[in-house]
Amino acid sequence: MKMTMARREAVEGYIAISPWILGFILFTGGPILASIAISFSEWNFIEPAKFAGIANYTALFNDPLVWQALKVTTLYTIAAVPLGIVFGFWLAILLNQKIALLAVWRTIFYLPALVSGVAVATVWIWVLQPDFGVLNSLLREIGIEGPNWLFSQTWVIPSLVLMSLWGVGGGLIIYLSGLQGIPTEIFEAAQIDGANAVQRLFAITIPMMTPILFLQLVTGLIGAFQVFTSAYIMTKGGPGNASLFYVLYIYRNAFEYFDMGYAAALSWLLTLVIIATTLLVFWSARFWVYYDVDIKDF
């Protein structure tokens, strides 16, 4: 019996995407299922895994470092994500003007986003060094004695938040595409009606950019909850666990303490936190995100 055209197209489609399906099963879907099984076991890489029931999940709630890691990660997220959005959006507005060498300026501000996390962390260790670092040296020039930054429990998180602003140019292309998608007729009409630049910003630009801001908020939150490189390279979680980010704690349990079952349970707790936060942001979108269609229909 000859294959129908629709069935043939379906078969050809599945054949075309089969490399992706195979890769997903082997490198994403498979490890996800394996991590669920590992989270219910005791496994130290050397001896065979033993079923532990919900012991790993019970231990989470009695581990003070879990709450410390969640606290550190949450504080960093609350500070870094809004600041990153504000500075990135402000930079995009500046680079959306008609100025000389515009392409050069856009390239300059975007380039830091291309530098690897390890390289950025190494540079900022030098910048934030309290005795001979660049930042404190500049502060001394104006008569201010800078803090110990990475060596202070009070200043270590603000230091890492400050460092995170290095990469705000990463969202520059997305912001610029959104800004350039706003019809110029709206601005012209508002200007004729007497609206100044600030009024046009808050009445037109920001409302029309809320879908882009929403996207940046969601991706920023997910990324901030998974911070690892900067803490691992720059502070190792110190001083006094003041920069013990959650993913760093997962790494410690998995590859320093060789407690892979507990590390997998920690990972799934983080997954649930990220999912809950993301759903909360999606729920809030109906109150502040503007679309061409009614947000209730989204």
Side-chain angles (χ1 to χ4, degrees):
M1 184 176 62
K2 292 185 177 181
M3 188 179 300
T4 63
M5 181 65 69
R7 185 181 295 273
R8 178 180 299 174
E9 290 179 352
V11 171
E12 291 174 351
Y14 281 114
I15 292 174
I17 65 174
S18 60
W20 181 89
I21 294 176
L22 183 62
F24 176 82
I25 293 173
L26 293 177
F27 301 112
T28 303
I32 288 174
L33 296 177
S35 69
I36 296 175
I38 292 172
S39 70
F40 291 99
S41 67
E42 294 182 5
W43 184 35
N44 61 6
F45 290 113
I46 300 173
E47 300 175 350
K50 298 179 181 179
F51 180 71
I54 62 171
N56 289 324
Y57 290 95
T58 303
L60 292 176
F61 298 97
N62 299 317
D63 186 352
L65 290 181
V66 171
W67 303 108
Q68 174 64 13
L70 284 173
K71 174 186 172 183
V72 168
T73 306
T74 302
L75 290 175
Y76 173 85
T77 301
I78 291 173
V81 174
L83 284 175
I85 292 174
V86 170
F87 277 94
F89 187 42
W90 173 70
L91 182 62
I93 291 175
L94 293 180
L95 296 178
N96 195 42
Q97 311 300 316
K98 295 181 180 179
I99 58 176
L101 302 175
L102 181 59
V104 175
W105 289 114
R106 288 177 177 176
T107 303
I108 290 173
F109 283 104
Y110 180 74
L111 280 177
L114 302 178
V115 182
S116 70
V118 175
V120 171
T122 304
V123 170
W124 276 88
I125 289 175
W126 171 58
V127 171
L128 297 172
Q129 213 287 333
D131 296 324
F132 52 81
V134 175
L135 186 53
N136 276 4
S137 297
L138 293 174
L139 290 175
R140 291 190 192 102
E141 292 295 325
I142 58 176
I144 299 175
E145 187 62 32
N148 286 329
W149 298 114
L150 298 175
F151 301 96
S152 166
Q153 292 188 7
T154 303
W155 284 97
V156 63
I157 294 301
S159 300
L160 296 173
V161 171
L162 177 65
M163 190 195 78
S164 71
L165 299 179
W166 167 272
V168 295
L172 189 60
I173 295 176
I174 298 176
Y175 286 127
L176 285 173
S177 64
L179 289 171
Q180 294 173 5
I182 301 175
T184 57
E185 295 84 0
I186 301 178
F187 292 106
E188 293 171 355
Q191 195 168 6
I192 293 173
D193 289 339
N196 57 35
V198 175
Q199 291 172 327
R200 294 197 299 271
L201 172 65
F202 286 96
I204 299 174
T205 305
I206 292 179
M208 295 291 285
M209 285 290 292
T210 49
I212 302 295
L213 297 174
F214 172 70
L215 170 66
Q216 294 296 89
L217 176 60
V218 172
T219 56
L221 287 171
I222 294 173
F225 273 114
Q226 300 179 77
V227 167
F228 169 76
T229 304
S230 57
Y232 178 74
I233 298 296
M234 300 174 71
T235 66
K236 301 294 184 183
N241 291 322
S243 63
L244 181 63
F245 283 84
Y246 196 90
V247 175
L248 177 60
Y249 189 52
I250 294 174
Y251 173 87
R252 282 184 179 179
N253 280 276
F255 301 107
E256 293 181 8
Y257 310 149
F258 299 106
D259 192 349
M260 184 57 74
Y262 191 57
L266 286 169
S267 300
W268 277 102
L269 176 60
L270 178 61
T271 301
L272 294 176
V273 170
I274 292 175
I275 291 174
T277 305
T278 304
L279 290 176
L280 180 62
V281 174
F282 268 88
W283 173 81
S284 71
R286 69 185 67 189
F287 301 109
W288 62 276
V289 179
Y290 168 82
Y291 291 98
D292 290 336
V293 295
D294 189 355
I295 188 63
K296 295 180 180 179
D297 297 330
F298 175 69

